[in-house]
Amino acid sequence: MEVKVNKKVKSATDEELQALSKEELMAKIRQLEAHNVQLKSIVQKSLKSHEEVTNGKETKKDRPFDFSKCFKRHILLRLYYLGWDYQGFASQEDSVATIEHHLFAALKKVCLIESRETSNYNRCGRTDKGVSAFCQVISLDVRSKFRPEEQLQESNLEDELDYCSLLNRVLPVDIRCIAWMPMVNPVYSARFDCRSRTYRYFIPKGDLNVPAMEEGARYLVGVHDFRNFCKMDVGNGVVNFVRSIDAISIEMCQEDYLDEGYNMLCVELTGKAFLWHQVRCIMAVLLLVGQGKEEPSVVKELLDVEKNPCKPQYSMAIDLPLNLYKCLFNEKSIQPSDDERQESEDGSDLRNWIYKQENVARTTSELQGSWMKQNVKATMIRDMLHELEGLVCFRTVDQAAHLTEGVKSKEYRPLLQRQQCESLENRIEHYAKKRRIEVSTKSNDSNANGSDEPVQQSVADIGTNNDGHVDHGVMGIEN
């Protein structure tokens, strides 16, 4: 099946439009286009004014940087960010509270790029609101001190512009560039050439039945249709929900010797691509299993889309604990390139990540400062809890109840007995009728094996902010 996404336009009814003459329709189109330009201008001025007030800085006009006199090179940049206070990674027209907004503002401020449009930019994952990343990777063309034929010489790599330090001077403290990698292939893409993405989700152990969660998690490994473990984004052309989870584990990551109920667990999932909200939906179901409200076999039941084609209604796990932890890349780009001047002996497009000792030390110190403040808060709260629990002989109970969104019902209803969402077929028919998508019956083999990350992301980019990736991720795209 092939799906084409039509741009959503709110307009008059079909009958009203059909009654208009050709000249009237043309005038209406011109009016709407002018109105759209005007609205964009108003929003951008408002956002710019807000940002200047927030930063306490006045606008000053500098002499434009002459990029025509500069050399360029293609690189990967590795970033981390604490996404709790941001509206997601991807830029939005009506918000400056995104990672990409601050990233491109920094890139332009230090004159590493002229504009996003001319930077050959791609991102590895598209994390959603509240989601963090330790290993977000982007690819782009940046300013260089050296000619293209000299850029991969060892001495010139050491003397190249210190990209990470330049950016970190102007980025917010919770967004940091850690390392950069010189690229052989000028079309190598952080998005299309990523072969594996790993997410981590952190939860308190509480009274969770971890062995039951591990049993349920084992059903997730392999290639499955995950339509019951994601938010279906049919309106943006996503109609294939087959993905592969290569590995999933639940490990202890922090121990509290006063009460093991306060130990922290880390759930780690690895795959090539993830659907919109896939990790958070998986975590919601695993938490129900850990709480004893569902049997581990419910995961297997929800993966059987022939038996259960419609997703039962349930609340997702919250965004706060989710982290895009690691990304691995192809040795050789899948993108065609005419540039073979710099191919290495082993044919790899990758080089080693370049870290600057002083930049890593400074970034580590800043992150230690953030950890200290958060840990002081956590320790203070933990001390209060210890005192209160001693007064009422209270023990650690259902901490997992705070990890899911929505209102909690007084009486629990099993997942498979709940009201169900619309089927995939009904959603496709709905959006086709609204002319949001155009559906053809032509088969699409690239979408049949669950390894369609490039196709998934190119479609998802049309829509609203997705998580870590449709990346998460991403994004994989996840949120």
Side-chain angles (χ1 to χ4, degrees), residues 264-315:
M264 292 298 295
L265 302 173
C266 173
V267 183
E268 184 174 285
L269 304 93
T270 299
K272 176 176 171 56
F274 290 83
L275 296 158
W276 190 15
H277 294 319
Q278 183 180 348
V279 173
R280 289 169 62 188
C281 287
I282 286 174
M283 285 307 308
V285 175
L286 290 182
L287 287 169
L288 291 174
V289 172
Q291 292 171 290
K293 296 178 178 179
E294 298 286 346
E295 293 296 321
S297 59
V298 74
V299 177
K300 184 178 181 181
E301 292 290 325
L302 291 173
L303 289 172
D304 187 348
V305 295
E306 292 188 3
K307 184 177 179 182
N308 297 291
C310 299
K311 175 185 174 183
Q313 294 183 359
Y314 60 86
S315 298

Side-chain angles (χ1 to χ4, degrees), residues 218-226 240-247 270 272 278 303-304 447-451:
R218 283 194 286 271
Y219 292 117
L220 295 165
V221 178
V223 179
H224 303 284
D225 189 318
F226 285 96
N240 177 1
F241 299 93
V242 176
R243 297 293 184 274
S244 174
I245 291 183
D246 302 326
T270 299
K272 176 176 171 56
Q278 183 180 348
L303 289 172
D304 187 348
N447 280 351
N449 60 3
S451 299

Side-chain angles (χ1 to χ4, degrees), residues 170-193:
V170 294
L171 281 168
V173 70
D174 45 11
I175 306 173
R176 282 292 178 261
C177 180
I178 304 173
W180 69 280
M181 181 188 293
M183 300 308 299
V184 176
N185 191 336
V187 298
Y188 196 95
S189 169
R191 173 180 169 188
F192 296 108
D193 293 315

Side-chain angles (χ1 to χ4, degrees), residues 433-448:
K433 281 183 178 179
K434 294 181 71 174
R435 298 184 180 179
R436 283 282 303 277
I437 60 175
E438 295 177 8
V439 183
S440 68
T441 56
K442 183 179 178 181
S443 63
N444 190 343
D445 294 335
S446 65
N447 280 351

Side-chain angles (χ1 to χ4, degrees), residues 316-367:
M316 293 189 301
I318 61 174
D319 50 34
L320 176 69
L322 185 57
N323 179 26
L324 175 57
Y325 180 71
K326 183 167 60 176
C327 302
L328 300 177
F329 293 89
N330 297 322
E331 289 289 330
K332 197 72 178 171
S333 175
I334 65 172
Q335 312 300 311
S337 173
D338 297 328
D339 193 342
E340 302 292 338
R341 69 179 188 276
Q342 298 281 17
E343 187 163 320
S344 61
E345 293 180 2
D346 60 1
S348 175
D349 287 337
L350 302 179
R351 291 293 186 269
N352 293 325
W353 287 104
I354 296 177
Y355 300 87
K356 290 286 187 178
Q357 188 70 27
E358 57 271 23
N359 178 63
V360 175
R362 189 183 308 113
T363 300
T364 301
S365 177
E366 292 170 343
L367 201 54

